[in-house]
Amino acid sequence: MSRTPIREGLARLWQEGYLDRVVGHGYFVARVTVQQIHDTFDVRRLLEGAAAARARLSSRRRRQTRSGLRALARVPIARSARTTGSPETANVQFHLAIAACARNGLALELIERCLAQVDRFMSLGVNFGQFTENATEAHLQIADAIARARSRRPRGRAWKRTSTAAAA
């Protein structure tokens, strides 16, 4: 393999924040600070709350949205032979579905970036505790709040859920 693809790969990882570049010394795994974690969850909390509030739909589409979100709400507690996918994947799919319901492409993109940042933190060894135990119930509450189309309730449920994950 030539050096060019290696350099391009390192440059991409540096741009995405996985690596730090020190001129004359090379690349090193980027450190994660507590402030970065708090900032990521703060932004995610704001975006997801706004997306949940905006996901209020017309009464005809509300049932479809609710059933779709309820189907994605289940977060497996542990990986087993019967479990398809990981708890992290199920959680991401649910939150991206809420963002998609908001019908705001920029919000969806920013929420994806926040979720990718959380994934990055986890890949570097940050442990957020056991979020899976109450995740399904919290997701169902968010889906139901969106289906009821009350503007403050979905935002509050999403805010509470993200706050709990940030505190873990």
Side-chain angles (χ1 to χ4, degrees), residues 63-155:
R63 281 189 214 114
Q64 296 168 349
T65 300
R66 180 176 181 225
S67 63
L69 288 176
R70 288 183 69 82
L72 291 172
R74 186 177 174 280
V75 175
I77 292 179
R79 292 182 184 135
S80 68
R82 292 185 292 173
T83 304
T84 57
S86 69
E88 295 84 7
T89 301
N91 189 54
V92 167
Q93 289 174 341
F94 177 79
H95 289 281
L96 290 178
I98 290 175
C101 288
R103 298 177 186 245
N104 183 321
L106 181 58
L108 176 61
E109 180 183 328
L110 293 173
I111 290 170
E112 281 179 320
R113 287 178 61 188
C114 285
L115 291 168
Q117 185 78 317
V118 170
D119 184 53
R120 175 180 162 257
F121 297 153
M122 291 171 65
S123 72
L124 293 173
V126 176
N127 185 359
F128 294 111
Q130 284 292 353
F131 73 93
T132 57
E133 292 175 6
N134 300 322
T136 298
E137 182 60 32
H139 287 178
L140 290 171
Q141 289 175 357
I142 293 168
D144 290 344
I146 289 171
R148 285 192 296 272
R150 294 180 185 163
S151 64
R152 289 182 183 245
R153 183 115 336 145
R155 180 180 300 212

Side-chain angles (χ1 to χ4, degrees), residues 41 44-46 48-50 52 95 134 137-139 141-142 152-168:
F41 276 98
R44 183 176 161 202
R45 186 179 308 120
L46 291 169
E48 288 187 4
H95 289 281
N134 300 322
E137 182 60 32
H139 287 178
Q141 289 175 357
I142 293 168
R152 289 182 183 245
R153 183 115 336 145
R155 180 180 300 212
R157 296 281 185 212
W159 182 282
K160 182 178 178 182
R161 170 77 181 119
T162 310
S163 297
T164 303

